[in-house]
Amino acid sequence: MATETLSTSELDAFRDSADRFIAEIDEEYYLHFSGLKETLELEQIYARHEEITRLETAKRLEGGPTELWRFACEGFLGNLTRSHQEKLAQVETELEATVDGEQIPFRMLRPATANEPDRDRRQRLEETRLRLTDEHLNPVYLDAARIDRDAVAQLGVPNYYELYKRFGFRLDELAAQCTDLLNATERLWEETGDRLFRERLGISLSDARAWDVPRLFRAPEWDKAFPSDAMLPALEATLRDLGIDLRSQENVHLDLDQRPAKSPRAFCSPIEVPDKVMLVIQPIGGRDDWEALFHEAGHTEHYANTSRDLPMEEKRLGDMAVTEGWAMLMQHLVTEPAWLNRRLDVPRASQLANEGAAALLYFVRRYCAKLLYEIEFFQADDTPAMRSRYTELLAEAYRFPAAPENYLSDIDGSFYVIGYLRSWAFEAQLRDFLRSEFGNDWFARREAGELLRELWSLGQGPTADELLRDVTGEPGS
């Protein structure tokens, strides 16, 4: 017997419940990763919203609004592995490593590697992180993957890959584009990457290893140009030029306090869209840290300017390439010569811009390989066997060895990798349009700020392609 679809009133009730569920989940993640709460507790939240995560609800939403159907399916699967999410957070919080006699919290191992000039010690730090990942985290990831693989059949599809194709994800088309891009940029990356590794770390691309990458992008030689105490003032001044007073935005909450358990990376938590958006900062300094702050500020302004009159799915769900695109637009200012000349005393701004382009090439290639891997991963019957496939695909993109221990932790879920890949195309085309309309200093023009706020108000309703067509008249990515 066919499952009866939800009525209009039931859909509205689902929207309301889903909105509360996401708000509570986001607040819980904010409290934990801001260092205000030691444990991540999801079970009670799922229990309060049991109805929206039931298998029957997901089945009844099929044929309804796609974003709501997708959310219900993800809620059903997430409910089955919520204890695994809690366990992973607990292990990451409690786990400590001993390297050269020094005690280092697990979550601080990557920042420690990035800040370590001695290559041998970087190797010890990263190998310790990888060993602990394999011993303590991968068994949890593996069990969650098994549960997901078994449960997805209850949604009427053979695997996770086929489920997302039914949601309208153009996985095969994007995979072909990723393969073409990897082939087309292979020579360029070998030359550009080799030059970047040699200039910054004194090693060739082929000699590079996993423990060199955090140091490469940490770029300590630029620290004087990007001091920690100038990060927030630079962001405030940039937004002010666009007609946005960050400090007077009552719906934006800046979490600036130092806490031992606070995430070392800036992040945005849109607890209530648009009424309570948290921008969490623990300033360390350096170009990489500045980019992280400006990236999360892009998310923050997008959510904070979203119209509260939109339906839930257009405020909180939708095409994630849109919000990631706004984040990239802000992030890339940090290596934009025109912005640097206006905001900072940075020597060799053109060199910094070239290094930024090289870094972008690395990440685009990395995420292309990640998508190809995830497409195979989510069709595989033997999950542990994907360990070798991960190293093969990622090493082909990097042109140096990839760490097999990351084969489970390097998956974001929900094919979010596509959001990043499409956001880079969206941001590049949008930035070109802003330059053509408002000049190279578009980021200092109030008219540009007015346009951005108008586009931000649309939330996640239009896709990235639709936004580009409406704004530029050009086809999207």
Side-chain angles (χ1 to χ4, degrees):
M1 182 180 295
T3 304
E4 184 182 355
T5 58
L6 297 182
S7 66
T8 300
S9 61
E10 287 175 316
L11 279 175
D12 288 340
F14 179 86
R15 286 186 175 96
D16 292 340
S17 295
D19 185 72
R20 292 303 83 215
F21 174 75
I22 297 172
E24 291 175 32
I25 290 285
D26 281 355
E27 185 160 31
E28 183 69 14
Y29 274 94
Y30 160 68
L31 292 171
H32 177 68
F33 287 101
S34 66
L36 289 168
K37 193 169 184 283
E38 184 176 339
T39 57
L40 180 69
E41 298 175 295
L42 303 175
E43 187 169 353
Q44 291 183 346
I45 299 174
Y46 274 92
R48 282 196 295 273
H49 301 279
E50 180 184 7
E51 179 63 34
I52 66 172
T53 63
R54 287 179 177 167
L55 175 62
E56 180 190 3
T57 303
K59 288 183 173 181
R60 292 186 67 194
L61 272 162
E62 185 175 356
T66 301
E67 287 301 318
L68 297 183
W69 175 38
R70 178 161 70 94
F71 177 79
C73 291
E74 291 173 350
F76 163 66
L77 296 173
N79 187 38
L80 299 176
T81 57
R82 65 181 187 272
S83 63
H84 296 73
Q85 298 173 57
E86 293 175 339
K87 178 64 174 176
L88 290 167
Q90 179 186 358
V91 171
E92 288 187 359
T93 301
E94 297 176 353
L95 199 58
E96 286 200 340
T98 302
V99 181
D100 301 337
E102 179 186 358
Q103 291 288 114
I104 305 173
F106 178 82
R107 284 179 177 164
M108 294 306 296
L109 283 169
R110 282 193 71 84
T113 304
N115 286 313
E116 179 54 59
D118 183 83
R119 193 181 186 210
D120 289 339
R121 179 168 161 79
R122 285 205 302 272
Q123 180 176 352
R124 292 192 293 274
L125 287 163
E126 178 63 3
E127 287 181 343
T128 298
R129 189 190 71 81
L130 293 172
R131 175 178 57 79
L132 293 174
T133 295
D134 226 13
E135 292 176 0
H136 298 275
L137 298 177
N138 280 348
V140 185
Y141 281 120
L142 197 58
D143 192 51
R146 176 190 60 77
I147 292 171
D148 274 346
R149 187 184 65 241
D150 293 344
V152 77
Q154 298 179 63
L155 295 169
V157 290
N159 54 55
Y160 201 76
Y161 158 80
E162 292 292 347
L163 178 64
Y164 276 76
K165 287 181 67 175
R166 292 185 65 186
F167 293 149
F169 282 46
R170 306 192 313 268
L171 295 173
D172 297 331
E173 178 185 336
L174 287 165
Q177 292 175 1
C178 286
T179 299
D180 290 344
L181 187 145
L182 286 167
N183 291 334
T185 61
E186 182 176 320
R187 191 85 171 280
L188 176 63
W189 169 243
E190 287 176 346
E191 295 173 355
T192 303
D194 187 71
R195 183 166 58 250
L196 187 62
F197 272 99
R198 288 182 186 277
E199 290 176 352
R200 193 167 284 171
L201 299 182
I203 58 175
S204 68
L205 177 65
S206 59
D207 288 333
R209 295 295 182 267
W211 47 86
D212 296 313
V213 176
R215 184 65 176 175
L216 180 78
F217 294 118
R218 171 67 179 80
E221 63 269 29
W222 293 104
D223 280 2
K224 283 188 178 180
F226 295 96
S228 60
D229 59 357
M231 285 173 58
L232 189 57
L235 174 62
E236 290 176 325
T238 300
L239 292 174
R240 193 179 306 117
D241 284 347
L242 290 167
I244 301 166
D245 185 348
L246 181 62
R247 295 281 183 172
S248 70
Q249 287 182 285
E250 294 182 357
N251 56 340
V252 172
H253 303 267
L254 300 177
D255 183 337
L256 309 175
D257 295 338
Q258 300 281 340
R259 302 185 194 96
K262 193 176 189 180
S263 168
R265 297 283 287 187
F267 68 92
C268 166
S269 186
I271 296 170
E272 303 287 354
V273 181
D275 296 318
K276 185 180 180 183
V277 183
M278 311 300 295
L279 178 56
V280 185
I281 311 164
Q282 181 142 292
I284 297 171
R287 193 205 72 193
D288 188 49
D289 204 29
W290 278 59
E291 288 189 353
L293 170 62
F294 274 68
H295 181 100
E296 299 305 329
H299 284 306
T300 299
E301 290 302 328
H302 177 214
Y303 289 119
N305 284 279
T306 293
S307 170
R308 62 174 48 84
D309 297 326
L310 294 174
M312 183 279 295
E313 60 267 34
E314 294 184 18
K315 290 192 290 186
R316 294 193 179 271
L317 307 177
D319 183 0
M320 301 314 291
V322 174
T323 191
E324 290 299 339
W326 297 127
M328 296 295 177
L329 185 69
M330 291 294 293
Q331 174 184 332
H332 291 162
L333 287 177
V334 175
T335 53
E336 166 63 52
W339 182 87
L340 290 167
N341 290 332
R342 182 180 180 86
R343 284 282 150 233
L344 291 174
D345 182 19
V346 176
R348 309 184 311 281
S350 60
Q351 177 187 340
L352 185 60
N354 289 337
E355 291 182 7
L360 179 59
L361 178 59
Y362 166 85
F363 283 107
V364 170
R365 287 180 59 84
R366 165 170 153 71
Y367 275 76
C368 282
K370 267 170 57 70
L371 176 59
L372 297 177
Y373 170 67
E374 290 181 18
I375 286 174
E376 291 190 26
F377 178 91
F378 287 118
Q379 297 179 83
D381 293 325
D382 185 0
T383 301
M386 292 303 296
R387 189 182 182 106
S388 61
R389 188 60 175 148
Y390 173 82
T391 59
E392 182 181 351
L393 287 168
L394 272 292
E396 185 67 23
Y398 296 155
R399 313 307 290 170
F400 57 81
E405 296 87 348
N406 291 330
Y407 84 110
L408 296 170
S409 61
D410 199 15
I411 295 176
D412 296 320
S414 304
F415 281 108
Y416 201 93
V417 58
I418 291 173
Y420 287 116
L421 285 167
R422 294 179 56 250
S423 76
W424 284 313
F426 170 58
E427 185 271 341
Q429 293 177 75
L430 187 63
R431 178 162 29 96
D432 285 346
F433 173 78
L434 291 171
R435 284 173 175 165
S436 68
E437 288 293 305
F438 305 108
N440 285 338
D441 63 344
W442 63 266
F443 46 80
R445 302 283 297 276
R446 294 249 170 164
E447 306 96 304
E450 290 171 3
L451 174 61
L452 290 178
R453 288 195 296 278
E454 179 183 342
L455 297 174
W456 288 336
S457 73
L458 302 176
Q460 297 279 98
T463 66
D465 294 346
E466 290 167 345
L467 273 177
L468 284 173
R469 282 195 297 269
D470 290 346
V471 173
T472 70
E474 299 292 330
S477 56

